[in-house]
Amino acid sequence: MFTPAAAVDSAGPLLKDRPHAIVIGSGFGGLAAAVRLGARGYRVTVLEKLDAPGGRAYVHRQDGFTFDAGPTVITAPFMFEELWALCGRRMADDIDLRPVAPFYRIRFDDGESFDYSGDAAAMRAEVARFAPGDVAGYERFLKASEAIFKVGFEELGDQPFDSWTDMARVLPALLKLEGYRTVWTLACKHVKDARLRVVLTFQSLLVGGNPFSTTSVYCLIAFLERRWGVHFPMGGTGSLVKGLVSLIEGQGGSVRCNCGVAQITVANGAASGVRLDNGETVAADVVVSNADSAWTYRHLVPAEHRHRWTDARIEKARYSMSLFVWYFGTKRQYPDVAHHTIALGPRYRELLTDIFDRKLLADDFSLYLHRPTATDPSLAPAGCDAFYVLSPVPHLQSGTDWAAHAEPYRLAIQQRLQATLLPGLADEIVTSRLLTPQDFQDRLSSFRGAAFSLEPVLTQSAWFRPHNRSEELDRLYLVGAGTHPGAGLPGVLSSARVLDSVVPHADQLAASRDPTRDGVRVAPA
């Protein structure tokens, strides 16, 4: 049950006396942050703009179909299991997580396919089928990925980068691991086949990065997937959202939906709570923003309290691409289509240049096709399939009028899918909905409609990203894709992990707590 906006706090005195933490946004980063804060003694209120929790992981239900709006790939399940363990519970009692094989089926424009999996022998065989001379190089690439993983994920993924000295400390390791290279150039160092280079680099797009400019640190994804596999929760990723909300409520916290935040309030240089869109104010001892980091600073923190993340700096920063997502259901099934399919178009580098650099909506596209009913048939009516197809597109600086372009673009994608993977598609569709870059901005409060916040280039990574402990205000903290370590579920869950080392324990705040900060609602501003 989600706490309605008008609810009155009826918690007992012990809960009410705890220091109060507000979390803005209920994406996976925000929900994970709430669980961690609750486990450390805080009374937590999560404030969500939408009518249900999840943020980018919102769930759409229509005409008997269930569509996960955003994340669909679970690659580090232990990070979720850890949240359940903090609450004294077992994730397996609430979530049925199933392995997906192959991880991805990559379909090239000529119709040939590569099955990308976690089976070492099967992967060697697939590489040998495409490029026998690259098998040894592929193995070297995987070893490089493992070395990057051990530093970039295991050692640094949940460590705060508060000072430039933190960055200086890790630079020697990053240089040794060739972090100055891009994802593409590291792959090119090890393999020669053009198609295999694509197979080893497309994953950076899943976290908003152009493989031709994203730091090679993100090559760690290859080993991360090999280490823990790719999974899907029965019921969809929305079941994970529901489970996390249950954990928060079990700790005595609440998730309030239909509660958009208009501003973070400030007292004596510290975050003191929030003012909601309806004028209501909520006091807090600490504020954690899971909203997009650029949006947080540009729209929620008053300009007079910002010295590093000024309007000019926010405008000047580089942002990830956006996404065009079409959710649809069919009255027949397509059993030959894998759970995750990467359907490549005729261009790779040139298309990404159009998207990231030229900010041009091109006529061709590469697509990610998600068929969750391959694993969980319950997400569609009997005999039907649920899909979503995702096309990387420029963010709103392209100037594209999506009100005019959305339907023609959807139709072009439909025709492409019908000609390649889903024969007869036009006659099989029984339900449909769209998500455009304009929706990312207007519905999800993402600056410029960028789907993954700041672009993960080297000069916008680690210390160069907005810090988990705000540089602008005391007692303001950031989690999610726009802070360290970055986008993707392991990234946003790691950002919540960072809070354990930068947010004081509730007991430390309780003794010196301002008596006016009791977390109750006060008169509207």
Side-chain angles (χ1 to χ4, degrees):
M1 171 188 272
F2 310 129
T3 308
V8 176
D9 186 0
S10 60
L14 291 178
L15 177 60
K16 190 169 182 59
D17 286 345
R18 295 183 195 171
H20 185 218
I22 284 175
V23 178
I24 303 170
S26 65
F28 277 121
L31 295 175
V35 170
R36 289 184 173 278
L37 290 168
R40 299 178 72 230
Y42 285 89
R43 176 169 55 89
V44 183
T45 303
V46 181
L47 300 173
E48 171 55 52
K49 171 184 175 182
L50 302 179
D51 62 351
R56 284 165 171 74
Y58 188 91
V59 178
H60 299 290
R61 293 181 175 87
Q62 63 183 49
D63 302 325
F65 293 81
T66 300
F67 300 108
D68 288 322
T72 59
V73 180
I74 311 298
T75 52
F78 79 92
M79 301 190 76
F80 284 102
E81 291 166 355
E82 190 175 74
L83 298 173
W84 262 260
L86 286 172
C87 299
R89 292 166 58 177
R90 292 177 66 250
M91 177 178 159
D93 292 336
D94 300 322
I95 306 294
D96 181 2
L97 206 59
R98 304 283 180 93
V100 175
F103 294 168
Y104 314 97
R105 177 165 293 151
I106 298 102
R107 183 193 185 278
F108 294 93
D109 189 52
D110 62 5
E112 194 164 4
S113 293
F114 183 108
D115 276 2
Y116 188 106
S117 73
D119 184 305
M123 279 295 288
R124 281 193 297 269
E126 280 289 84
V127 171
R129 185 168 65 85
F130 273 75
D134 274 335
V135 173
Y138 163 71
E139 297 286 359
R140 289 194 300 271
F141 174 84
L142 200 60
K143 286 187 180 297
S145 172
E146 180 178 5
I148 296 170
F149 167 87
K150 288 180 176 178
V151 174
F153 185 81
E154 291 188 330
E155 294 182 19
L156 305 178
D158 59 0
Q159 299 302 305
F161 279 77
D162 283 339
S163 166
W164 68 267
T165 57
D166 297 324
M167 192 71 182
R169 176 175 50 84
V170 304
L171 272 178
L174 293 177
L175 290 173
K176 183 178 180 181
L177 295 168
E178 301 182 289
Y180 54 84
R181 289 182 180 270
T182 65
V183 168
W184 179 259
T185 57
L186 187 65
C188 289
K189 175 184 176 182
H190 295 291
V191 299
K192 296 179 179 179
D193 184 80
R195 293 172 300 177
L196 190 55
R197 287 172 172 177
V198 173
V199 166
L200 298 181
T201 59
F202 78 87
Q203 292 94 332
S204 63
L205 289 163
L206 302 180
V207 294
N210 180 352
F212 295 94
S213 57
T214 295
T215 169
S216 62
V217 170
Y218 282 86
C219 287
L220 65 83
I221 295 173
F223 184 77
L224 184 148
E225 291 175 336
R226 170 67 68 87
R227 175 82 174 268
W228 287 296
V230 169
H231 301 79
F232 185 75
M234 300 300 281
T237 48
S239 65
L240 286 168
V241 172
K242 182 179 178 181
L244 290 171
V245 170
S246 174
L247 295 183
I248 294 164
E249 293 177 340
Q251 293 173 318
S254 63
V255 179
R256 296 178 56 192
C257 296
N258 296 309
C259 288
V261 172
Q263 189 175 90
I264 294 168
T265 57
V266 181
N268 301 317
S272 60
V274 299
R275 178 169 54 81
L276 303 182
D277 289 340
N278 64 5
E280 176 187 351
T281 60
V282 186
D285 296 275
V286 300
V287 176
V288 177
S289 181
N290 181 219
D292 174 58
S293 60
W295 190 274
T296 296
Y297 283 128
R298 185 69 175 80
H299 296 286
L300 302 185
V301 177
E304 63 267 25
H305 296 292
R306 290 186 276 122
H307 305 288
R308 179 171 180 177
W309 293 102
T310 62
D311 290 357
R313 180 167 184 170
I314 292 167
E315 298 282 343
K316 186 178 178 181
R318 292 172 56 173
Y319 294 90
S320 80
M321 82 290 199
S322 192
L323 302 172
F324 179 92
V325 190
W326 175 30
Y327 310 89
F328 61 96
T330 59
K331 61 186 179 184
R332 60 159 285 193
Q333 294 178 326
Y334 291 87
D336 294 334
V337 176
H339 189 125
H340 302 292
T341 300
I342 308 298
L344 297 164
R347 303 184 303 154
Y348 187 58
R349 184 171 197 152
E350 297 85 354
L351 176 61
L352 295 176
T353 297
D354 283 346
I355 294 170
F356 283 89
D357 301 329
R358 299 177 65 197
K359 297 179 176 59
L360 171 71
L361 184 64
D363 292 330
D364 61 317
F365 29 67
S366 289
L367 305 171
Y368 160 55
L369 181 65
H370 180 229
R371 180 178 168 250
T373 37
T375 301
D376 186 355
S378 73
L379 299 174
C384 300
D385 261 338
F387 291 93
Y388 89 43
V389 61
L390 174 159
S391 177
V393 294
H395 59 59
L396 291 176
Q397 271 195 314
S398 70
T400 303
D401 179 0
W402 282 104
H405 283 79
E407 180 54 22
Y409 198 75
R410 184 207 65 80
L411 183 59
I413 290 174
Q414 176 183 301
Q415 292 169 343
R416 173 72 176 177
L417 291 175
Q418 182 164 295
T420 54
L421 292 163
L422 305 177
L425 176 60
D427 296 327
E428 302 296 340
I429 297 167
V430 292
T431 193
S432 175
R433 68 182 304 131
L434 297 176
L435 178 71
T436 74
Q438 196 67 50
D439 296 315
F440 272 97
Q441 176 175 275
D442 298 346
R443 178 177 167 82
L444 298 172
S445 300
S446 180
F447 189 72
R448 289 186 179 152
F452 302 92
S453 196
L454 293 167
E455 187 180 351
V457 294
L458 186 59
T459 54
Q460 293 188 160
S461 298
W463 179 75
F464 298 109
R465 288 180 92 72
H467 297 177
N468 303 96
R469 184 193 340 239
S470 172
E471 308 98 301
E472 311 289 9
L473 295 174
D474 290 339
R475 299 191 180 183
L476 172 62
Y477 305 90
L478 275 65
V479 295
T483 185
H484 173 71
L489 284 182
V492 301
L493 295 177
S494 292
S495 73
R497 258 183 166 187
V498 175
L499 298 187
D500 289 351
S501 58
V502 298
V503 179
H505 196 282
D507 289 345
Q508 295 176 256
L509 285 182
S512 59
R513 185 173 168 213
D514 183 340
T516 64
R517 287 186 177 189
D518 59 5
V520 300
R521 289 178 287 283
V522 298

PDB file of all heavy atoms in Angstrom, residues 204-221:
ATOM      1  N   SER A 204      27.650  -0.266 -23.544  1.00  0.00           N
ATOM      2  CA  SER A 204      27.755   1.082 -22.972  1.00  0.00           C
ATOM      3  C   SER A 204      26.525   1.918 -23.306  1.00  0.00           C
ATOM      4  O   SER A 204      26.182   2.856 -22.574  1.00  0.00           O
ATOM      5  CB  SER A 204      29.025   1.784 -23.458  1.00  0.00           C
ATOM      6  OG  SER A 204      29.014   1.964 -24.858  1.00  0.00           O
ATOM      7  N   LEU A 205      25.832   1.577 -24.384  1.00  0.00           N
ATOM      8  CA  LEU A 205      24.601   2.284 -24.717  1.00  0.00           C
ATOM      9  C   LEU A 205      23.509   2.012 -23.689  1.00  0.00           C
ATOM     10  O   LEU A 205      22.604   2.832 -23.505  1.00  0.00           O
ATOM     11  CB  LEU A 205      24.118   1.872 -26.108  1.00  0.00           C
ATOM     12  CG  LEU A 205      24.973   2.384 -27.275  1.00  0.00           C
ATOM     13  CD1 LEU A 205      24.671   1.598 -28.542  1.00  0.00           C
ATOM     14  CD2 LEU A 205      24.731   3.870 -27.498  1.00  0.00           C
ATOM     15  N   LEU A 206      23.588   0.881 -23.005  1.00  0.00           N
ATOM     16  CA  LEU A 206      22.591   0.542 -21.997  1.00  0.00           C
ATOM     17  C   LEU A 206      22.722   1.403 -20.743  1.00  0.00           C
ATOM     18  O   LEU A 206      21.845   1.385 -19.875  1.00  0.00           O
ATOM     19  CB  LEU A 206      22.693  -0.939 -21.630  1.00  0.00           C
ATOM     20  CG  LEU A 206      22.528  -1.941 -22.781  1.00  0.00           C
ATOM     21  CD1 LEU A 206      22.658  -3.368 -22.281  1.00  0.00           C
ATOM     22  CD2 LEU A 206      21.195  -1.740 -23.499  1.00  0.00           C
ATOM     23  N   VAL A 207      23.831   2.160 -20.626  1.00  0.00           N
ATOM     24  CA  VAL A 207      23.991   3.096 -19.514  1.00  0.00           C
ATOM     25  C   VAL A 207      24.143   4.527 -20.042  1.00  0.00           C
ATOM     26  O   VAL A 207      24.626   5.412 -19.340  1.00  0.00           O
ATOM     27  CB  VAL A 207      25.189   2.718 -18.610  1.00  0.00           C
ATOM     28  CG1 VAL A 207      24.922   1.393 -17.918  1.00  0.00           C
ATOM     29  CG2 VAL A 207      26.497   2.651 -19.393  1.00  0.00           C
ATOM     30  N   GLY A 208      23.740   4.741 -21.305  1.00  0.00           N
ATOM     31  CA  GLY A 208      23.706   6.095 -21.849  1.00  0.00           C
ATOM     32  C   GLY A 208      24.984   6.583 -22.464  1.00  0.00           C
ATOM     33  O   GLY A 208      25.122   7.782 -22.735  1.00  0.00           O
ATOM     34  N   GLY A 209      25.933   5.684 -22.716  1.00  0.00           N
ATOM     35  CA  GLY A 209      27.230   6.107 -23.222  1.00  0.00           C
ATOM     36  C   GLY A 209      27.472   5.728 -24.675  1.00  0.00           C
ATOM     37  O   GLY A 209      27.131   4.624 -25.099  1.00  0.00           O
ATOM     38  N   ASN A 210      28.070   6.633 -25.423  1.00  0.00           N
ATOM     39  CA  ASN A 210      28.513   6.364 -26.782  1.00  0.00           C
ATOM     40  C   ASN A 210      29.827   5.587 -26.705  1.00  0.00           C
ATOM     41  O   ASN A 210      30.805   6.100 -26.148  1.00  0.00           O
ATOM     42  CB  ASN A 210      28.728   7.699 -27.507  1.00  0.00           C
ATOM     43  CG  ASN A 210      29.189   7.536 -28.947  1.00  0.00           C
ATOM     44  OD1 ASN A 210      29.497   6.441 -29.399  1.00  0.00           O
ATOM     45  ND2 ASN A 210      29.249   8.640 -29.669  1.00  0.00           N
ATOM     46  N   PRO A 211      29.890   4.362 -27.203  1.00  0.00           N
ATOM     47  CA  PRO A 211      31.128   3.586 -27.082  1.00  0.00           C
ATOM     48  C   PRO A 211      32.338   4.264 -27.705  1.00  0.00           C
ATOM     49  O   PRO A 211      33.481   3.926 -27.370  1.00  0.00           O
ATOM     50  CB  PRO A 211      30.796   2.265 -27.792  1.00  0.00           C
ATOM     51  CG  PRO A 211      29.584   2.542 -28.614  1.00  0.00           C
ATOM     52  CD  PRO A 211      28.832   3.622 -27.905  1.00  0.00           C
ATOM     53  N   PHE A 212      32.107   5.236 -28.596  1.00  0.00           N
ATOM     54  CA  PHE A 212      33.217   5.936 -29.238  1.00  0.00           C
ATOM     55  C   PHE A 212      33.736   7.108 -28.411  1.00  0.00           C
ATOM     56  O   PHE A 212      34.757   7.702 -28.762  1.00  0.00           O
ATOM     57  CB  PHE A 212      32.795   6.409 -30.633  1.00  0.00           C
ATOM     58  CG  PHE A 212      32.496   5.282 -31.569  1.00  0.00           C
ATOM     59  CD1 PHE A 212      31.204   4.812 -31.726  1.00  0.00           C
ATOM     60  CD2 PHE A 212      33.517   4.643 -32.264  1.00  0.00           C
ATOM     61  CE1 PHE A 212      30.930   3.748 -32.572  1.00  0.00           C
ATOM     62  CE2 PHE A 212      33.247   3.574 -33.101  1.00  0.00           C
ATOM     63  CZ  PHE A 212      31.957   3.120 -33.263  1.00  0.00           C
ATOM     64  N   SER A 213      33.066   7.441 -27.306  1.00  0.00           N
ATOM     65  CA  SER A 213      33.547   8.514 -26.433  1.00  0.00           C
ATOM     66  C   SER A 213      33.514   8.147 -24.951  1.00  0.00           C
ATOM     67  O   SER A 213      34.164   8.801 -24.144  1.00  0.00           O
ATOM     68  CB  SER A 213      32.729   9.795 -26.663  1.00  0.00           C
ATOM     69  OG  SER A 213      31.349   9.571 -26.447  1.00  0.00           O
ATOM     70  N   THR A 214      32.793   7.095 -24.586  1.00  0.00           N
ATOM     71  CA  THR A 214      32.689   6.679 -23.189  1.00  0.00           C
ATOM     72  C   THR A 214      33.990   6.044 -22.724  1.00  0.00           C
ATOM     73  O   THR A 214      34.602   5.256 -23.446  1.00  0.00           O
ATOM     74  CB  THR A 214      31.529   5.670 -23.023  1.00  0.00           C
ATOM     75  OG1 THR A 214      30.305   6.338 -23.307  1.00  0.00           O
ATOM     76  CG2 THR A 214      31.474   5.108 -21.624  1.00  0.00           C
ATOM     77  N   THR A 215      34.403   6.377 -21.507  1.00  0.00           N
ATOM     78  CA  THR A 215      35.629   5.802 -20.965  1.00  0.00           C
ATOM     79  C   THR A 215      35.563   4.276 -20.939  1.00  0.00           C
ATOM     80  O   THR A 215      34.516   3.687 -20.642  1.00  0.00           O
ATOM     81  CB  THR A 215      35.910   6.322 -19.545  1.00  0.00           C
ATOM     82  OG1 THR A 215      36.961   5.552 -18.949  1.00  0.00           O
ATOM     83  CG2 THR A 215      34.693   6.222 -18.658  1.00  0.00           C
ATOM     84  N   SER A 216      36.695   3.649 -21.209  1.00  0.00           N
ATOM     85  CA  SER A 216      36.755   2.186 -21.263  1.00  0.00           C
ATOM     86  C   SER A 216      36.512   1.541 -19.909  1.00  0.00           C
ATOM     87  O   SER A 216      36.399   0.309 -19.823  1.00  0.00           O
ATOM     88  CB  SER A 216      38.119   1.736 -21.801  1.00  0.00           C
ATOM     89  OG  SER A 216      39.165   2.154 -20.931  1.00  0.00           O
ATOM     90  N   VAL A 217      36.420   2.342 -18.847  1.00  0.00           N
ATOM     91  CA  VAL A 217      36.057   1.784 -17.538  1.00  0.00           C
ATOM     92  C   VAL A 217      34.744   1.010 -17.645  1.00  0.00           C
ATOM     93  O   VAL A 217      34.535   0.007 -16.956  1.00  0.00           O
ATOM     94  CB  VAL A 217      35.955   2.913 -16.484  1.00  0.00           C
ATOM     95  CG1 VAL A 217      35.344   2.388 -15.190  1.00  0.00           C
ATOM     96  CG2 VAL A 217      37.333   3.517 -16.220  1.00  0.00           C
ATOM     97  N   TYR A 218      33.867   1.446 -18.554  1.00  0.00           N
ATOM     98  CA  TYR A 218      32.571   0.777 -18.695  1.00  0.00           C
ATOM     99  C   TYR A 218      32.683  -0.575 -19.402  1.00  0.00           C
ATOM    100  O   TYR A 218      31.677  -1.290 -19.512  1.00  0.00           O
ATOM    101  CB  TYR A 218      31.574   1.691 -19.402  1.00  0.00           C
ATOM    102  CG  TYR A 218      31.026   2.737 -18.462  1.00  0.00           C
ATOM    103  CD1 TYR A 218      31.698   3.933 -18.250  1.00  0.00           C
ATOM    104  CD2 TYR A 218      29.862   2.508 -17.735  1.00  0.00           C
ATOM    105  CE1 TYR A 218      31.215   4.887 -17.362  1.00  0.00           C
ATOM    106  CE2 TYR A 218      29.373   3.458 -16.840  1.00  0.00           C
ATOM    107  CZ  TYR A 218      30.054   4.634 -16.655  1.00  0.00           C
ATOM    108  OH  TYR A 218      29.577   5.566 -15.763  1.00  0.00           O
ATOM    109  N   CYS A 219      33.877  -0.944 -19.842  1.00  0.00           N
ATOM    110  CA  CYS A 219      34.076  -2.304 -20.349  1.00  0.00           C
ATOM    111  C   CYS A 219      33.940  -3.333 -19.232  1.00  0.00           C
ATOM    112  O   CYS A 219      33.863  -4.538 -19.505  1.00  0.00           O
ATOM    113  CB  CYS A 219      35.444  -2.434 -21.020  1.00  0.00           C
ATOM    114  SG  CYS A 219      35.559  -1.611 -22.632  1.00  0.00           S
ATOM    115  N   LEU A 220      33.898  -2.871 -17.994  1.00  0.00           N
ATOM    116  CA  LEU A 220      33.698  -3.799 -16.877  1.00  0.00           C
ATOM    117  C   LEU A 220      32.356  -4.517 -16.962  1.00  0.00           C
ATOM    118  O   LEU A 220      32.168  -5.574 -16.349  1.00  0.00           O
ATOM    119  CB  LEU A 220      33.810  -3.064 -15.541  1.00  0.00           C
ATOM    120  CG  LEU A 220      32.772  -1.995 -15.165  1.00  0.00           C
ATOM    121  CD1 LEU A 220      31.496  -2.597 -14.574  1.00  0.00           C
ATOM    122  CD2 LEU A 220      33.372  -1.042 -14.125  1.00  0.00           C
ATOM    123  N   ILE A 221      31.424  -3.969 -17.742  1.00  0.00           N
ATOM    124  CA  ILE A 221      30.101  -4.590 -17.864  1.00  0.00           C
ATOM    125  C   ILE A 221      30.215  -6.014 -18.392  1.00  0.00           C
ATOM    126  O   ILE A 221      29.470  -6.905 -17.974  1.00  0.00           O
ATOM    127  CB  ILE A 221      29.188  -3.742 -18.769  1.00  0.00           C
ATOM    128  CG1 ILE A 221      28.909  -2.380 -18.129  1.00  0.00           C
ATOM    129  CG2 ILE A 221      27.872  -4.465 -19.053  1.00  0.00           C
ATOM    130  CD1 ILE A 221      28.162  -1.412 -19.033  1.00  0.00           C
TER     131      ILE A 221
END
